[in-house]
Amino acid sequence: MAKVAVIMGSDSDFDVVKKCIDMLKKFKVEIDVQVISAHRNPRELATFAQTAEDQGYEVIIAAAGKAAHLPGVIAGSTPLPVIGIPIKTSLEGGMDSLFSIVQMPTGIPVATVAVNGAANAAILAVQILSVKYPELRQAIKQYKQELDEEVKAKNARVQALLNQE
């Protein structure tokens, strides 16, 4: 089955990253979660990124705040797709993190989700993996159907409220 690495630059990112972990578990994707800092232990990060494919990972999700180099450094050292989660910071609500992750040089792409968009990072990873794994494609289709049904139920509640006026 599919294997995804979820890397965060600091344990302080865990509360946000937990939404990603939970979503990957919902889709029954094998995950490995680690804290590795691009700035505080760069040699360990380089080793991880350079061996990720050999370790069986198929997608890497990396969460980082402030300078937010983690996803880009990983992307520069692996052929695997990397998804960045910008973490909200006290600086401009996380726009610093978003810009650090999304502004990658040509040849080193990092798919980037919204600030604190951890659940979407997991969903994007599952969609990428669904190209190879038909059971994940079916699970994504089912998930999208559930979203559709949730919105229709919300609309029905609003319409009922409006009819009470």
Side-chain angles (χ1 to χ4, degrees), residues 105-137:
T106 300
I108 312 296
V110 173
T112 309
V113 297
V115 174
N116 284 6
N120 270 353
I123 293 165
L124 179 56
V126 172
Q127 287 176 313
I128 291 168
L129 292 165
S130 79
V131 171
K132 180 178 178 183
Y133 298 98
E135 63 274 19
L136 290 178
R137 178 64 55 92

Side-chain angles (χ1 to χ4, degrees), residues 40-57:
R40 292 181 291 256
N41 57 347
R43 286 176 291 286
E44 184 171 336
L45 182 61
T47 299
F48 164 79
Q50 291 164 2
T51 64
E53 184 178 22
D54 294 336
Q55 299 299 317
Y57 300 114

Side-chain angles (χ1 to χ4, degrees), residues 24-90:
L24 289 167
K25 286 180 178 179
K26 174 185 171 104
F27 285 100
K28 298 176 176 56
V29 172
E30 183 181 345
I31 57 174
D32 179 27
V33 181
Q34 296 184 44
V35 175
I36 309 174
S37 172
H39 301 109
R40 292 181 291 256
N41 57 347
R43 286 176 291 286
E44 184 171 336
L45 182 61
T47 299
F48 164 79
Q50 291 164 2
T51 64
E53 184 178 22
D54 294 336
Q55 299 299 317
Y57 300 114
E58 295 178 84
V59 176
I60 300 170
I61 299 172
K66 298 190 178 179
H69 292 123
L70 183 66
V73 170
I74 293 171
S77 297
T78 185
L80 300 175
V82 177
I83 302 168
I85 304 171
I87 300 294
K88 184 177 180 180
T89 66
S90 59

Side-chain angles (χ1 to χ4, degrees), residues 7-19 34-37 40 63-66 85-90 97 116:
I7 309 299
M8 61 194 103
S10 172
D11 62 342
S12 64
D13 302 333
F14 183 76
D15 288 342
V16 171
V17 173
K18 179 86 168 76
K19 294 175 183 125
Q34 296 184 44
V35 175
I36 309 174
S37 172
R40 292 181 291 256
K66 298 190 178 179
I85 304 171
I87 300 294
K88 184 177 180 180
T89 66
S90 59
S97 306
N116 284 6

